[in-house]
Amino acid sequence: MKITVVGAGAVGATCADNIARKELAQELVLLDIKEGVAEGKALDMTQTAALLGFDTRITGSTNDYSKTAGSEVVVITSGLPRKPGMTREELIGTNAGIVKSVTENILKHSPEAIIVVVSNPMDTMTYLALKSTGLPKNRIIGMGGALDSARFKCYLSAALNCSPADLNAVVIGGHGDTTMIPLINHATWNSVPVTHFLSTEQQEKIVADTMVGGATLTKLIGTSAWYAPGAATAAVVESIVRDEKKLIPCCVSLEGEYGQNDICLGVPVVLGKTGWEKIIDFKLNEKEQELFNKSAEAVRGMNGVL
Ligand SMILES: NC(=O)c1ccc[n+]([C@@H]2O[C@H](COP(=O)([O-])OP(=O)(O)OC[C@H]3O[C@@H](n4cnc5c(N)ncnc54)[C@H](O)[C@@H]3O)[C@@H](O)[C@H]2O)c1
């Protein structure tokens, strides 16, 4: 197994670190446009191998895509992150050009790769990758729901004083402060609905905190977060390369599912060795469907900017 991570910045390097620690690949390539950065971070990570006990071979490359040849999974994190007060959507102009050229270069050397898109605005960048490459839809996966659901579980576990590992909770819809939909009515604590334990005010606060989860961190750190985004991306990669068939909300191409067409949006999907293998299309209640439609409308507007 060979995996490439494009963009050796905060999210890309953290994702690569998680991939190496979990030994998801024999060979891991980090690629960045900035001279020496990918090589330096690859070497730094390699020097943790003796301490952490992994055998993944990590190499870095400054924009030389021949080093990525034969990758089975490619993660795209290249692009600008947001600054405090910025929305993910404001990144569209710059990041669209980057994502388009990166996917073209990647496919020249790894025509069979499954592509995981992380760069923001992620729903639109995933749609762009799908449309500009013409790849089969199952090989293009946007990472956002895995992260948003982990943040949702973080806030739920704090309110319930429980282990986040005992929670089942997903966020669907767009990966934006106003477009994501934390499905609190479907969330359970070891199969008991969390709504049994939380007041309406508590539920509303958890949902609101989840939706601005990224913005809260951007305000504190001064740039966008990386530990949870990197770990969430590695979890998506893990389910693919280990063929785990995990059910993880990801941004994928919809063709009628959840009442939407010609859009990439976050829905629960089964992830395995061929990419996203199945969309779990369950019936939302009227209010949830209305939110999903609004989310699709907003993302469609953003896609129009492309
Ligand atoms: N989908 C999500 O859940 C999620 C979460 C966090 C961040 N993000 C997004 O991920 C992206 C990366 O965030 P970050 O914090 O790692 O930013 P960063 O600035 O730390 O890293 C980005 C890297 O991309 C590189 N890069 C720029 N253009 C490139 C090109 N053409 N080819 C190769 N590399 C190139 C830069 O040199 C830089 O090292 C941003 O768009 C951010 O908004 C998405």
Side-chain angles (χ1 to χ4, degrees):
M1 175 61 61
K2 178 169 176 178
I3 299 174
T4 288
V5 178
V6 181
V11 176
T14 310
C15 171
D17 187 34
N18 278 278
I19 288 171
R21 287 175 192 235
K22 287 168 178 260
E23 295 191 307
L24 300 184
Q26 276 90 40
E27 210 183 334
L28 174 61
V29 180
L30 257 180
L31 182 144
D32 203 283
I33 202 166
K34 270 190 225 146
E35 188 71 41
V37 170
E39 288 87 339
K41 291 200 182 180
L43 180 58
D44 190 12
M45 263 176 238
T46 298
Q47 291 169 358
T48 69
L51 299 161
L52 301 172
F54 63 77
D55 286 316
T56 296
R57 191 150 44 85
I58 313 167
T59 52
S61 159
T62 302
N63 229 23
D64 176 1
Y65 282 81
S66 66
K67 300 240 171 78
T68 68
S71 295
E72 280 133 292
V73 178
V74 175
V75 177
I76 300 180
T77 73
S78 45
L80 297 184
R82 59 181 173 157
K83 297 286 168 220
M86 250 178 137
T87 64
R88 294 175 176 92
E89 288 75 12
E90 286 174 74
L91 302 169
I92 190 166
T94 313
N95 287 357
I98 295 174
V99 169
K100 190 164 181 294
S101 74
V102 166
T103 43
E104 279 165 9
N105 284 322
I106 280 295
L107 289 173
K108 272 183 214 153
H109 298 274
S110 305
E112 302 301 325
I114 292 170
I115 295 184
V116 179
V117 180
V118 180
S119 310
N120 275 319
M122 183 277 294
D123 305 291
T124 297
M125 293 303 113
T126 306
Y127 183 77
L128 171 69
L130 180 78
K131 292 288 165 186
S132 65
T133 61
L135 284 185
K137 61 181 181 177
N138 299 68
R139 283 170 49 198
I140 304 276
I141 300 160
M143 194 297 294
L147 169 65
D148 299 330
S149 302
R151 286 179 172 154
F152 188 23
K153 287 180 192 173
C154 167
Y155 288 116
L156 279 169
S157 71
L160 293 165
N161 194 20
C162 75
S163 163
D166 280 346
L167 294 169
N168 253 305
V170 295
V171 176
I172 61 168
H175 176 61
D177 298 354
T178 54
T179 58
M180 71 179 77
I181 309 160
L183 291 176
I184 196 145
N185 286 319
H186 300 269
T188 62
W189 178 6
N190 264 349
S191 79
V192 186
V194 298
T195 48
H196 281 213
F197 308 102
L198 300 167
S199 66
T200 308
E201 293 74 51
Q202 279 177 305
Q203 291 177 39
E204 284 169 0
K205 182 162 175 7
I206 290 164
V207 167
D209 285 346
T210 302
M211 292 176 77
V212 295
T216 302
L217 290 164
T218 303
K219 203 167 154 204
L220 287 168
I221 306 172
T223 184
S224 107
W226 55 88
Y227 291 114
T233 309
V236 166
V237 172
E238 183 169 19
S239 188
I240 298 168
V241 305
R242 295 203 204 279
D243 196 23
E244 288 177 333
K245 317 282 190 208
K246 283 215 169 142
L247 184 57
I248 300 179
C250 291
C251 176
V252 300
S253 169
L254 300 183
E255 292 175 355
E257 297 90 352
Y258 292 87
Q260 294 296 330
N261 272 297
D262 192 30
I263 193 164
C264 292
L265 212 53
V267 292
V269 295
V270 175
L271 293 174
K273 64 177 185 302
T274 58
W276 68 264
E277 300 189 337
K278 188 161 62 171
I279 294 175
I280 303 302
D281 188 6
F282 70 99
K283 185 143 180 54
L284 300 173
N285 69 29
E286 209 173 303
K287 187 171 167 233
E288 291 160 349
Q289 185 64 50
E290 200 181 304
L291 288 173
F292 195 82
N293 294 346
K294 270 198 190 144
S295 179
E297 219 172 282
V299 170
R300 203 167 269 119
M302 191 54 50
N303 294 350
V305 177
L306 285 175

